[in-house]
Amino acid sequence: QVQLVESGGGLVQAGASLRLSCAASGGTFSRYALAWFRQGPGNEREFVSAISSSGGRTNYADSVKGRFTISRDNAKDTVYLQMNSLKPEDTAVYYCAADRRGIFIYVSSAHYDYWGQGTQVTVFS
């Protein structure tokens, strides 16, 4: 049974930075493709970023390109999302997800097998 636990969310002023972490257990982390999604109140869950099992390939939503960076540390079974220049529209619950197949990275949530409980990010102006 794979478990994912997010942390690092908080309440910050516009322009600030946060780093989210997602720690995994119960599976072969190094084989998983990993992703971050977010969902604000009244909105559908949307893709934020993804990273391949090796870390060699990444993908970002247009809304976060140049501001967010995804990375992973397979030795720690952890994936990170560094968020800089935060905007009020970034306010959402952020979820990490894992694809056990790990061959490709996808923007659709349907491709991911395991999900964390989410961590709240709130950005005020």
Side-chain angles (χ1 to χ4, degrees):
Q1 301 135 337
V2 175
Q3 293 182 322
L4 303 174
V5 180
E6 302 97 332
S7 62
L11 176 66
V12 298
Q13 190 171 25
S17 297
L18 284 173
R19 189 176 77 157
L20 306 183
S21 299
C22 176
S25 63
T28 308
F29 180 86
S30 62
R31 295 182 180 179
Y32 302 158
L34 298 162
W36 290 93
F37 291 79
R38 67 187 182 186
Q39 186 170 16
N43 297 324
E44 295 184 345
R45 188 170 298 185
E46 66 175 352
F47 173 80
V48 177
S49 186
I51 188 167
S52 63
S53 59
S54 69
R57 297 178 181 177
T58 59
N59 194 16
Y60 297 92
D62 288 342
S63 60
V64 306
K65 285 181 179 177
R67 298 189 298 120
F68 291 10
T69 303
I70 190 170
S71 62
R72 65 191 294 163
D73 186 342
N74 287 346
K76 297 181 178 180
D77 287 357
T78 301
V79 61
Y80 305 95
L81 185 68
Q82 178 67 44
M83 305 185 295
N84 297 327
S85 302
L86 283 163
K87 304 174 181 179
E89 50 262 47
D90 295 318
T91 295
V93 177
Y94 284 71
Y95 300 89
C96 66
D99 174 8
R100 63 186 176 183
R101 291 164 293 187
I103 300 172
F104 304 105
I105 54 176
Y106 299 95
V107 300
S108 172
S109 62
H111 291 281
Y112 294 90
D113 304 292
Y114 311 112
W115 293 82
Q117 84 290 343
T119 185
Q120 177 70 48
V121 173
T122 302
V123 185
F124 64 92
S125 61

